[in-house]
Amino acid sequence: MRPRLALLLTGGVIVLAACSPTKAAQPTPVAESSSATSTSIPSSSSEAPSSSSAAPSSTTTKSATNGPVKPPANSPAPAGSPGWKLTQANTGLAAHGLNCDSLPLYTGPGAPAAGTVISGKRVEQALTLFAGNITIEKSCIRPKNLGETAPLITTNGPCGSNSCQVTGAPVTIRDSNIDGSALSAKTIAGSCAFLGVGTLQRNYISGMGSGICFYNTGSSLSGLAEGNYVRGLRSDGESHNDGATVRDFPLDKNAGRTLTFRNNRIDCSTGNDTGALFIQTYGGDIDNVTVEGNLLEGGGYQLGLESGFDNLYGRNMKSINNRFSGTGWGAAYVSQKGASYKWAVWQDNYLHDANAPDAKGKPAGTP
């Protein structure tokens, strides 16, 4: 069995390394002098829409000044759509008739201040969102320069010899593209699109080594990945790639915090694949994680759950109504390593069959 991925801190920088299992309130835009809000696409006036938010109407509307306005050819996936109904056309910028090259350049700082809203911008630098209380929407994050193994977006703060500071306030990234295509495979193979803790909704994520990495999540904030499409990841040399991963999510200081992967499509098909969603207690204990309504595709195992490194996953881990490609090593596995229990809930999980009702192929057996 191939070694699996671990995230390490080397000289204050997150890097990727191998490990072997035994088995397989709304932010307020800052003043004009430092605001990142685009004048062409106004920032949202309310909190991030939940999965129950109404989808935009597909009918032709009328402008108050110019008569009928035809809606864009693409439109967002209806609210609550499961991962197997997501495409490149109905997630991220494309769902709103936008693309990276059409957006004005962001000229603000790489570490924006608390309260910043970046809306409708093309961002050509990596972003550090440690200040928290930051929203990015309808934007393209496509850095042209990046340190090798560095994330494109992180909520981590200054790092010491073996740890980084954790943001103390929420970060939201929605309806955007996170794109590593302007960087070489060697630079990007060990990089995450997002690293830290936050809310990611309806984004199109492609072109880097790994996608959504919930690591160094702290002890207070909840996390959410909802309606994102992760694909087109790249490998180089001995890289180990994840579509998404969780490496710590302890409950010792806030038993009510939750981490949710809902209605995402995550494809990890690089040839050096750990898997679509890899949950491993490398950085600390992990609990209160719900994986629901996702399509998980690619190589490795599509869903892994591991205790180890003197840490344990908890008793409230749930996998509900997911679809798996069944490729690579298969749908799912559990490595208990000291735990006497597995998934608290394993329910309505199936291999993906696009021709079957609700894409339900054969049941995915309980790992």
Side-chain angles (χ1 to χ4, degrees), residues 182-197:
L183 300 158
S184 70
K186 185 177 187 300
T187 296
I188 211 71
S191 297
C192 295
F194 172 87
L195 179 66
V197 63

Side-chain angles (χ1 to χ4, degrees), residues 349-353 360-364:
N349 297 301
Y350 297 87
L351 296 184
H352 180 248
D353 184 345
K360 291 182 179 179
K362 295 180 179 179

Side-chain angles (χ1 to χ4, degrees), residues 146-211:
L146 192 72
E148 198 167 310
T149 76
L152 277 68
I153 304 171
T154 184
T155 61
N156 288 343
C159 297
S161 59
N162 61 2
S163 64
C164 296
Q165 295 181 31
V166 180
T167 184
V171 166
T172 297
I173 305 169
R174 59 194 180 207
D175 303 307
S176 296
N177 286 16
I178 309 176
D179 182 353
S181 65
L183 300 158
S184 70
K186 185 177 187 300
T187 296
I188 211 71
S191 297
C192 295
F194 172 87
L195 179 66
V197 63
T199 294
L200 289 83
Q201 294 176 298
R202 305 178 298 275
N203 302 294
Y204 180 72
I205 301 171
S206 65
M208 63 291 301
S210 295

Side-chain angles (χ1 to χ4, degrees), residues 296-341:
L296 304 178
E297 306 173 275
Y301 285 101
Q302 282 82 66
L303 179 59
L305 177 62
E306 286 193 7
S307 283
F309 305 95
D310 297 321
N311 302 309
L312 293 172
Y313 60 78
R315 296 178 178 273
N316 192 34
M317 306 292 288
K318 302 176 182 179
S319 177
I320 303 167
N321 194 35
N322 298 293
R323 305 291 179 266
F324 305 92
S325 64
T327 50
W329 299 329
Y333 80 100
V334 174
S335 183
Q336 293 168 273
K337 295 182 181 177
S340 60
Y341 46 89

Side-chain angles (χ1 to χ4, degrees), residues 7-8 46 51 58 71 89 99-100 189 234-235 237 255 291 308 314 340-341 345 365:
L7 291 170
L8 304 176
S46 62
S51 60
S58 61
N99 61 70
C100 287
R234 295 186 287 159
S235 63
V291 181
S340 60
Y341 46 89
V345 178

